[in-house]
Amino acid sequence: MKYTLKKKNQELLISSSNSIVTEVNEEFINFTGYSRDDLVGKSLKEISYMLRIDAQMELEKIQNEYSCFMFTKSFEPREVTIFCKSSDCQGKKSYIFKENPKSRLKDKFIVTEQFYEHNKIGVAISTLPDGILLRANQKYLDFLDEPYNKKENSIGRRYTDIINGFKESNLDKAVSYIMERGELFHADELKYDYFNRGVTYWDAFLVPIFIEGKAKYLVQNIFEVTEKVLSRKFAEEQSEALKRQKEQLDAIIENMSDALLIFDKDGNYTRFNKAARKTYLDKTNKMASGYTTDDIHDLFDMDNKLITKGNLPLYKLIKGENLSGNRIAVKSHDGVVYHEINGTPLYDSEGNFVSGILCSRDVTENIKYEADLLEKTQYGFLNRLIDNLYLPVIRLSYPDFKITDINQKGYAFVKGLNMEFSSIQDLKGQKYSDIIIEFEKDKILKHIHGIVNNNGNSYSKYIKFIVSGEEKFMKILYQPVIGLNGEVIEVVVIIIDVTNEIKAKNHMEENLRMQEEFLANISHELKTPLNVIFSTSQLFELYLNNDLLIDNKDKINNNIHILRQNCYRLTKLISNIVDLSKIDSGFFELNLSNENIVNITEDIVQSVSQYVQSKGMHITFDTNVEEKIIACDPDKLERIILNLISNAVKFSRSGDEIFVLVDDKGDTVEISVKDQGIGIDKNYLNYIFERFKQVDKSFSRNAEGSGIGLCLVKSIVELHGGKISATSKLGEGSEFKIELPAGIIESSKKSDKIKPRNSKIEMINIEFSDIYS
Ligand code: ADP
């Protein structure tokens, strides 16, 4: 029999045929919110799924009636009883749904409903004991993994299906607890670790709702506290880690090889690690803190100066300085160690100094290495320098001044001092003061201290030595070699030969003295004839004014002779000075012609012989050749020979003989003038040809002189290409030899110009003018 749907029927009805929905009534559509098209044509299985009853029962499996929850299209649960009526023909079935009276949850759980709406905490209602999710706000759904965090995938489903790992989970256990005891379950920070998203924590209230003595619903209020728990756990872990780190750091700081010192703004040390205690404190101090600067050893800078309190590294930091690589020396009973200090001041957010950290490292070994290196390089350099230096150099140990090394030049110098050392090796280790007895140790030490303290200079002084029999003047310089820490390592002695300079200086002084003497001499030489001329003219005036000329004729004649004699002296002096200055300036010229030198010499001897005899002496001429023609300036040669004869006369005594010889030696011709006069001291012999030189005036002499004559003679001889020499014996006489080259010149013939006798006499008078009558 066909079952037809009646319009007036209030029942909810679905008809099916062969498990396919063929019809739904209007009431069913209104009740579920689905359209007819949604439903008609679907299989019963699909309808069971849509109405979300499949988790409880399949429509097809209902025999007669079945009570369960079904859900509207908008996921609202409705507690219904489903009646199944089947007709035998064509597999037709109809299902009638009847909503149970007063079964709507909204009405039952009014309070929960408010939380539900609020969506701040997760609210869910499910069935007990099946665990079918009836209602859940989004906050609750967020608790579930995808895709169950959406209503369409979770409402109407069992927990076992929508919560991963529900079985045996905390939630499962909580539900069992509720079922067993019928009590509310409360848990803070319930750990749930089956989510795909990992471990989560929840504060949960699970409240069972009893209907007719049976637990029928489970109301869940859950609140995720994962973030809170994790951050608390993180904080706990952090603080644990920090604690561990601090302990590690403490151990590292305590045991690190560098010394670490931390201090507060008042300059009190709050932390001294083991190395710091060892370096800066007495052995008895064991604590890691509670020290002040008074407890630490004395500190010195690298110049070995005590660091005053205000300049201690700690106070520098308090003043705001950063320290980097500052080197200091720490002196204790155990000795000195060198430390390199780095330091940083620490400030609070307002920029106030709160504490400072000093880290100091033992660099004693480094300094030794650097010093060694410096010494090695310095020494290497010094050694090379010293070995190659063309100066005597001696290296001395300090402060005992013993020879540690000496170069070849130095060795030669020491040997020259008549020291008996067979090798440089022999000299090493000797006391310097045994070698240089003039060594003024205290004075030199004072200079070295001056150099070390930057307020002195090297010591040097010149000393006269006799080196290998020769007089030498040596300047000795003492130069300290300063080490890295400003200490004197050794002293280098450099010896500089200043003999030439000193001799030149002495010579210059001597020349100056001679010039002064010459000027005094010259002015005397000039004044003497001038005085004579002046007083004679006064005498003549007196005779003239008193008509006494005739009466004094003899006297006047004598005085005229004296007048002439002094005019000659003036003439000689002036012409000698003029010639000398001509020679100096290169304007003195020779008038060369080929002359018979034998004749010239003999003529002069003849001319003066009478005069010489008048002095009680005798002059002899001799020659080994009759004629010797040489290129010469005859006037100048005459002057030379005359000068030598005049000197011989000047320095001979009455009765002495004078010999003038011409010796033809082939290439040269020698003219010698020999006397038996007072002679010349051998000490002066080397100097008589020098300008202005006169033998000591204390020797008695019968003449005046300017000291120019022999110098002029020498110059004229040398202009001829010849040489002059003198030999003499004091008290026995002197011999002057002129050696002239025997060459002739082509352009000149032998001069046949004979000098008028008068002019020769004049010349003799002039040359002999400084001999007293
Ligand atoms: P002066 O014009 O003073 O004679 P000289 O240059 O001619 O100058 O001589 C220099 C010095 O040499 C003389 O002052 C004298 O002391 C010494 N002298 C020169 N000739 C002789 C000599 N024949 N015998 C001794 N002393 C001489």
Side-chain angles (χ1 to χ4, degrees):
M1 191 185 103
K2 192 178 170 188
Y3 190 91
T4 49
L5 293 175
K6 291 175 188 160
K7 285 248 174 175
K8 57 179 180 180
N9 199 342
Q10 292 303 304
E11 291 171 337
L12 316 176
L13 197 63
I14 296 176
S15 304
S16 69
S17 169
N18 290 330
S19 298
I20 301 296
V21 176
T22 52
E23 186 52 37
V24 289
N25 70 354
E26 206 60 36
E27 283 72 20
F28 190 88
I29 287 167
N30 291 339
F31 184 76
T32 61
Y34 289 108
S35 68
R36 182 164 278 107
D37 288 347
D38 287 337
L39 302 166
V40 175
K42 296 268 171 19
S43 68
L44 286 177
K45 196 173 175 71
E46 283 170 319
I47 295 297
S48 300
Y49 180 80
M50 284 169 74
L51 299 180
R52 299 170 187 277
I53 54 175
D54 55 332
Q56 304 156 66
M57 175 60 83
E58 288 287 338
L59 274 177
E60 272 205 295
K61 290 182 182 161
I62 297 172
Q63 295 293 328
N64 293 314
E65 61 174 71
Y66 183 75
S67 275
C68 67
F69 285 95
M70 64 166 280
F71 295 83
T72 65
K73 191 179 181 184
S74 57
F75 310 112
E76 292 296 334
R78 300 285 181 254
E79 198 175 354
V80 294
T81 305
I82 305 168
F83 300 91
C84 177
K85 288 181 181 172
S86 47
S87 72
D88 294 333
C89 70
Q90 295 174 356
K92 287 187 178 175
K93 273 185 181 177
S94 30
Y95 295 89
I96 297 163
F97 294 75
K98 274 191 184 165
E99 186 176 10
N100 297 351
K102 293 182 188 167
S103 70
R104 295 213 174 176
L105 297 182
K106 266 188 189 171
D107 305 331
K108 281 184 184 165
F109 305 107
I110 298 166
V111 179
T112 308
E113 199 56 26
Q114 283 180 16
F115 286 115
Y116 180 91
E117 294 294 338
H118 211 236
N119 203 33
K120 285 278 188 240
I121 55 174
V123 177
I125 301 167
S126 52
T127 61
L128 281 179
D130 307 353
I132 290 168
L133 188 61
L134 300 177
R135 247 170 103 69
N137 65 359
Q138 190 53 47
K139 196 74 188 170
Y140 182 87
L141 291 173
D142 290 344
F143 162 72
L144 306 178
D145 278 335
E146 274 188 6
Y148 307 112
N149 56 352
K150 292 199 177 77
K151 272 187 181 171
E152 62 265 34
N153 299 322
S154 48
I155 295 294
R157 309 291 168 214
R158 285 174 193 274
Y159 281 144
T160 45
D161 296 334
I162 59 173
I163 297 177
N164 288 327
F166 177 80
K167 277 261 177 251
E168 300 293 314
S169 73
N170 284 333
L171 196 59
D172 188 15
K173 284 175 192 156
V175 172
S176 307
Y177 172 90
I178 289 164
M179 292 299 289
E180 276 168 26
R181 303 209 182 181
E183 283 175 17
L184 164 154
F185 177 87
H186 164 242
D188 279 339
E189 297 173 7
L190 191 71
K191 186 177 174 189
Y192 203 80
D193 57 2
Y194 291 98
F195 290 122
N196 288 340
R197 57 189 161 115
V199 178
T200 51
Y201 293 89
W202 305 85
D203 283 351
F205 282 94
L206 307 185
V207 185
I209 304 293
F210 288 83
I211 296 193
E212 292 165 3
K214 273 189 181 172
K216 192 168 181 197
Y217 297 103
L218 177 67
V219 178
Q220 294 183 52
N221 290 329
I222 61 165
F223 186 71
E224 181 165 8
V225 289
T226 309
E227 211 166 301
K228 185 181 98 186
V229 173
L230 288 183
S231 57
R232 194 188 67 239
K233 281 190 187 294
F234 181 69
E236 282 166 7
E237 276 167 18
Q238 285 285 302
S239 86
E240 187 59 32
L242 276 177
K243 207 173 131 204
R244 275 200 312 275
Q245 271 179 11
K246 190 177 172 295
E247 282 166 8
Q248 279 172 2
L249 197 70
D250 273 357
I252 291 171
I253 287 176
E254 179 63 9
N255 294 304
M256 65 197 249
S257 60
D258 287 357
L260 192 96
L261 303 86
I262 304 174
F263 55 88
D264 63 17
K265 64 180 183 341
D266 302 318
N268 294 317
Y269 291 104
T270 53
R271 182 74 199 249
F272 255 76
N273 72 352
K274 206 192 285 170
R277 295 197 296 278
K278 188 174 160 231
T279 308
Y280 293 99
L281 301 172
D282 282 335
K283 280 182 193 143
T284 47
N285 286 313
K286 290 261 159 41
M287 286 159 10
S289 62
Y291 303 112
T292 68
T293 50
D294 295 333
D295 298 314
I296 63 174
H297 293 307
D298 283 344
L299 306 183
F300 293 81
D301 65 16
M302 296 308 279
D303 291 333
N304 209 17
K305 290 202 190 95
L306 181 74
I307 302 177
T308 53
K309 197 167 177 181
N311 285 320
L312 285 173
L314 168 139
Y315 288 108
K316 285 192 170 174
L317 253 62
I318 292 180
K319 277 184 232 154
E321 269 181 54
N322 268 304
L323 296 184
S324 169
N326 280 33
R327 283 185 172 181
I328 56 160
V330 189
K331 289 192 184 169
S332 68
H333 303 301
D334 301 337
V336 185
V337 284
Y338 294 94
H339 268 238
E340 194 165 84
I341 298 192
N342 293 307
T344 321
L346 301 177
Y347 301 98
D348 63 14
S349 57
E350 280 157 24
N352 301 314
F353 179 90
V354 279
S355 71
I357 300 175
L358 288 169
C359 185
S360 100
R361 175 166 294 183
D362 189 337
V363 290
T364 314
E365 287 303 314
N366 302 31
I367 283 182
K368 272 194 203 146
Y369 173 74
E370 283 167 27
D372 273 3
L373 201 69
L374 183 80
E375 270 172 35
K376 268 184 204 145
T377 16
Q378 254 190 10
Y379 273 28
F381 177 70
L382 256 180
N383 285 335
R384 282 197 304 281
L385 185 81
I386 287 171
D387 286 348
N388 296 322
L389 212 58
Y390 198 65
L391 287 174
V393 178
I394 306 173
R395 286 170 62 185
L396 303 178
S397 57
Y398 182 87
D400 52 356
F401 293 101
K402 281 188 177 164
I403 297 176
T404 57
D405 202 3
I406 184 165
N407 69 355
Q408 280 298 340
K409 276 264 150 192
Y411 178 61
F413 170 71
V414 173
K415 281 205 85 161
L417 296 177
N418 265 342
M419 299 269 176
E420 295 194 349
F421 293 104
S422 56
S423 70
I424 285 182
Q425 214 50 40
D426 258 15
L427 259 173
K428 289 187 184 172
Q430 297 293 329
K431 272 179 153 180
Y432 178 70
S433 54
D434 290 345
I435 310 287
I436 307 292
I437 40 169
E438 296 85 350
F439 179 53
E440 297 166 307
K441 189 173 176 179
D442 291 342
K443 234 182 198 179
I444 286 151
L445 277 175
K446 209 172 130 197
H447 277 266
I448 289 173
H449 287 149
I451 293 174
V452 171
N453 298 324
N454 286 330
N455 58 7
N457 48 12
S458 307
Y459 177 84
S460 74
K461 183 185 180 182
Y462 79 82
I463 299 171
K464 187 169 122 183
F465 292 99
I466 302 298
V467 185
S468 310
E470 256 185 76
E471 187 182 63
K472 291 274 181 192
F473 294 93
M474 298 296 197
K475 194 166 196 158
I476 307 192
L477 196 103
Y478 295 91
Q479 183 61 48
V481 177
I482 314 281
L484 201 65
N485 302 323
E487 80 285 8
V488 179
I489 296 171
E490 66 170 76
V491 176
V492 176
V493 183
I494 301 170
I495 301 169
I496 303 159
D497 186 345
V498 290
T499 312
N500 288 343
E501 289 80 351
I502 298 294
K503 281 196 174 158
K505 182 172 153 260
N506 290 346
H507 187 66
M508 213 167 73
E509 281 171 2
E510 172 69 0
N511 265 351
L512 275 173
R513 199 186 55 71
M514 269 167 42
Q515 277 199 34
E516 273 170 28
E517 204 174 282
F518 169 71
L519 278 175
N521 206 8
I522 283 289
S523 61
H524 170 75
E525 285 290 305
L526 282 169
K527 264 192 231 157
T528 316
L530 280 174
N531 280 343
V532 174
I533 292 165
F534 188 65
S535 55
T536 313
S537 73
Q538 275 182 328
L539 187 69
F540 283 2
E541 196 176 32
L542 185 82
Y543 289 156
L544 190 67
N545 290 342
N546 295 303
D547 262 347
L548 295 171
L549 282 175
I550 302 295
D551 294 348
N552 290 294
K553 196 177 167 195
D554 286 348
K555 277 188 186 167
I556 289 168
N557 262 333
N558 192 32
N559 277 317
I560 287 172
H561 174 73
I562 292 169
L563 261 184
R564 197 179 294 127
Q565 178 84 0
N566 281 288
C567 285
Y568 287 144
R569 270 180 77 179
L570 277 178
T571 309
K572 178 181 178 182
L573 189 61
I574 289 164
S575 79
N576 276 357
I577 292 171
V578 168
D579 285 348
L580 212 55
S581 66
K582 271 190 189 168
I583 287 170
D584 281 347
S585 54
F587 290 124
F588 192 88
E589 279 181 2
L590 294 179
N591 253 333
L592 290 180
S593 53
N594 297 327
E595 304 289 342
N596 182 357
I597 187 72
V598 183
N599 268 354
I600 291 175
T601 315
E602 193 173 5
D603 276 1
I604 288 175
V605 174
Q606 265 180 16
S607 309
V608 298
S609 66
Q610 209 183 343
Y611 177 84
V612 173
Q613 274 173 16
S614 75
K615 295 278 162 192
M617 299 164 204
H618 191 256
I619 187 162
T620 312
F621 172 77
D622 202 359
T623 176
N624 68 350
V625 66
E626 282 306 306
E627 186 184 75
K628 184 73 178 179
I629 307 292
I630 63 165
C632 63
D633 183 330
D635 289 346
K636 308 266 164 43
L637 271 190
E638 279 175 358
R639 224 170 122 191
I640 291 172
I641 297 162
L642 264 182
N643 190 295
L644 293 179
I645 296 171
S646 107
N647 274 351
V649 175
K650 261 202 257 179
F651 300 104
S652 291
R653 291 148 298 206
S654 179
D656 287 344
E657 275 209 54
I658 296 165
F659 303 94
V660 179
L661 302 173
V662 174
D663 186 2
D664 180 9
K665 292 186 163 179
D667 288 348
T668 59
V669 58
E670 189 181 86
I671 305 160
S672 67
V673 178
K674 188 176 174 189
D675 64 52
Q676 297 172 322
I678 60 170
I680 304 166
D681 188 301
K682 68 173 187 313
N683 289 334
Y684 290 98
L685 209 53
N686 288 330
Y687 301 115
I688 52 170
F689 294 108
E690 284 177 24
R691 197 174 295 191
F692 316 129
K693 281 284 179 190
Q694 284 180 317
V695 176
D696 196 337
K697 287 227 172 87
S698 60
F699 281 97
S700 65
R701 50 189 274 180
N702 55 358
E704 295 279 343
S706 59
I708 303 175
L710 282 179
C711 172
L712 209 58
V713 170
K714 188 173 181 243
S715 300
I716 293 170
V717 170
E718 284 170 356
L719 280 171
H720 276 91
K723 287 187 289 193
I724 184 165
S725 60
T727 49
S728 184
K729 217 165 184 191
L730 208 56
E732 289 183 19
S734 317
E735 183 174 13
F736 288 82
K737 282 183 181 168
I738 295 170
E739 195 172 353
L740 296 169
I744 52 167
I745 49 169
E746 281 180 10
S747 55
S748 162
K749 282 194 245 148
K750 183 175 166 284
S751 102
D752 44 17
K753 177 179 72 174
I754 296 167
K755 205 172 246 172
R757 191 171 155 71
N758 282 351
S759 90
K760 193 165 266 172
I761 291 171
E762 186 83 346
M763 195 163 79
I764 294 167
N765 282 334
I766 290 171
E767 266 328 306
F768 280 50
S769 61
D770 47 7
I771 304 173
Y772 295 143
S773 307

